Amino acid sequence: MTTEQRLLNAAKDLILEHGLINFSMSDVPRACGLSRACCYQNFRDKNEILAALCIEEVQVNIKAIQEQRFSDLIGTFSMVLRPLIFNHLKDKDRLALDHVFAELLALIHGLPEKMNSSFKAWFRVH
């Protein structure tokens, strides 16, 4: 597992355990036994970690749709955090997040109409 993935897993666990309000970037490296410097070498700030969590989750959803494993779809971070953090992201992170969401929505629009309607409701796509 890469250092970046270890940090993301720790961040995810911390958010799920303590909530987003109590999430602190300084807790992330401690939770996975790494240094603060290591954390900042991989992520500039808290928003970059949150963006990475959103992107990771959308990529998991894309794969689940492609493999027709619809019960594996998740919305823990991407559906809640994207609107909250989007305006606070650097351009590079906004573009990356937009790209994966566009890919996900294109997959949803390509599904048969009955499934497409269910996904639109689930993702609140209008």
Side-chain angles (χ1 to χ4, degrees):
M1 179 181 314
T2 66
T3 300
E4 182 177 312
Q5 193 58 54
R6 287 177 60 196
L7 292 163
L8 287 175
N9 289 347
K12 187 185 313 179
D13 292 344
L14 288 167
I15 293 169
L16 292 173
E17 186 176 338
H18 302 289
L20 183 60
I21 300 286
N22 297 316
F23 176 66
S24 170
M25 185 147 169
S26 62
D27 293 336
V28 175
R30 201 172 330 148
C32 58
L34 297 170
S35 69
R36 274 180 64 123
C38 183
C39 186
Y40 283 99
Q41 287 172 347
N42 286 273
F43 300 102
R44 286 181 304 253
D45 57 25
K46 179 178 173 176
N47 288 331
E48 193 170 312
I49 289 177
L50 297 175
L53 287 172
C54 289
I55 290 168
E56 179 181 74
E57 186 173 273
V58 172
Q59 289 171 332
V60 166
N61 286 336
I62 287 169
K63 186 173 181 178
I65 291 171
Q66 289 172 330
E67 296 174 359
Q68 297 187 7
R69 293 180 292 105
F70 304 119
S71 62
D72 291 349
L73 291 170
I74 50 177
T76 308
F77 296 104
S78 56
M79 297 303 132
V80 176
L81 292 181
R82 182 179 183 265
L84 295 175
I85 65 170
F86 192 77
N87 290 331
H88 304 286
L89 296 175
K90 307 272 188 269
D91 286 341
K92 173 186 82 108
D93 298 323
R94 282 185 190 186
L95 289 172
L97 200 48
D98 273 347
H99 175 75
V100 294
F101 263 89
E103 186 177 348
L104 178 64
L105 292 177
L107 278 173
I108 291 169
H109 289 293
L111 291 171
E113 188 55 38
K114 184 177 178 183
M115 290 177 128
N116 189 320
S117 298
S118 300
F119 280 108
K120 283 182 180 179
W122 195 79
F123 284 104
R124 290 181 174 75
V125 177
H126 304 287

